[in-house]
Amino acid sequence: MDHRSRVWAQRRLRSLMWLELFNIPLQAVIWFGMVGFPVTAANSVGFALFTLLLLEGAGYWAAKLRQIATRNRSLPGAGVFMVARRGNVAVLAAGLPFTVWAVVVDPGTGSWPGLGFGLFAVLEHVNYFHVQLMYDTAEDLRYLRSRGLRRAHLARDLAVQARTRCLSRP
């Protein structure tokens, strides 16, 4: 199937959306259930940051899926993502220092995983709102090797939205 077809794109977006959502309980079960990391304040804060970014990612893929289905130029819910782009910085800036403090005060399984989750949340924020960090298809890898990192898809969609709003103002 051609990777540029509408059907391929819809299947890919649906898969990305469900994978983001599935990863939330999966990671909780793996790390807190199977591995046995304690549910401490630091680990919970880090995991909450991680969960927030995965939910935003799933929301973006769902919005993108709707945009393709309706053939609309503007991304549904773009305003929410514009708020999230800035709000994430504040939330991450509050949560990460707490997890770092917890590592300093009481290093171990009660704090290190929380810091790890928090750092992963930062990477997810960058991946969605700034620079694409995930390169999982052959075409993505070719692009990375030939041109380097590319601007994140959501960042490009928000830029289009901002230009559209500027042009529509009197």
Side-chain angles (χ1 to χ4, degrees):
M1 181 177 296
D2 181 12
H3 71 279
R4 292 190 176 106
S5 74
R6 181 176 306 282
V7 172
W8 183 91
Q10 288 174 319
R11 187 175 299 148
R12 171 95 170 132
L13 294 171
R14 198 172 292 112
S15 155
L16 290 169
M17 176 189 70
W18 286 112
L19 283 172
E20 295 287 46
L21 291 172
F22 179 69
N23 256 310
I24 297 167
L26 175 67
Q27 297 302 318
V29 167
I30 289 171
W31 298 112
F32 295 110
M34 295 170 66
V35 174
F37 288 150
V39 181
T40 62
N43 289 345
S44 297
V45 166
F47 193 78
L49 296 172
F50 167 74
T51 298
L52 172 68
L53 268 295
L54 289 180
L55 287 171
E56 288 174 7
Y60 171 63
W61 298 126
K64 193 71 180 166
L65 186 60
R66 183 177 170 110
Q67 180 185 24
I68 288 174
T70 61
R71 299 175 189 244
N72 195 342
R73 178 153 166 76
S74 61
L75 180 71
V80 172
F81 293 109
M82 288 178 181
V83 169
R85 180 177 53 198
R86 294 201 168 141
N88 286 348
V89 174
V91 170
L92 291 167
L96 278 176
F98 174 75
T99 60
V100 169
W101 172 82
V103 166
V104 170
V105 170
D106 188 21
T109 59
S111 58
W112 279 108
L115 180 59
F117 289 130
L119 293 175
F120 189 78
V122 170
L123 291 175
E124 282 289 284
H125 176 79
V126 170
N127 182 55
Y128 278 114
F129 292 97
H130 301 287
V131 178
Q132 182 179 337
L133 300 176
M134 178 70 172
Y135 293 85
D136 63 340
T137 65
E139 183 180 344
D140 277 347
L141 292 171
R142 276 192 300 277
Y143 184 97
L144 179 63
R145 281 192 296 273
S146 66
R147 299 184 199 160
L149 296 173
R150 73 167 52 147
R151 193 168 185 199
H153 293 281
L154 178 53
R156 288 183 268 169
D157 282 338
L158 294 179
V160 167
Q161 187 72 25
R163 281 193 300 274
T164 303
R165 267 199 350 229
C166 287
L167 294 175
S168 66
R169 289 186 183 161

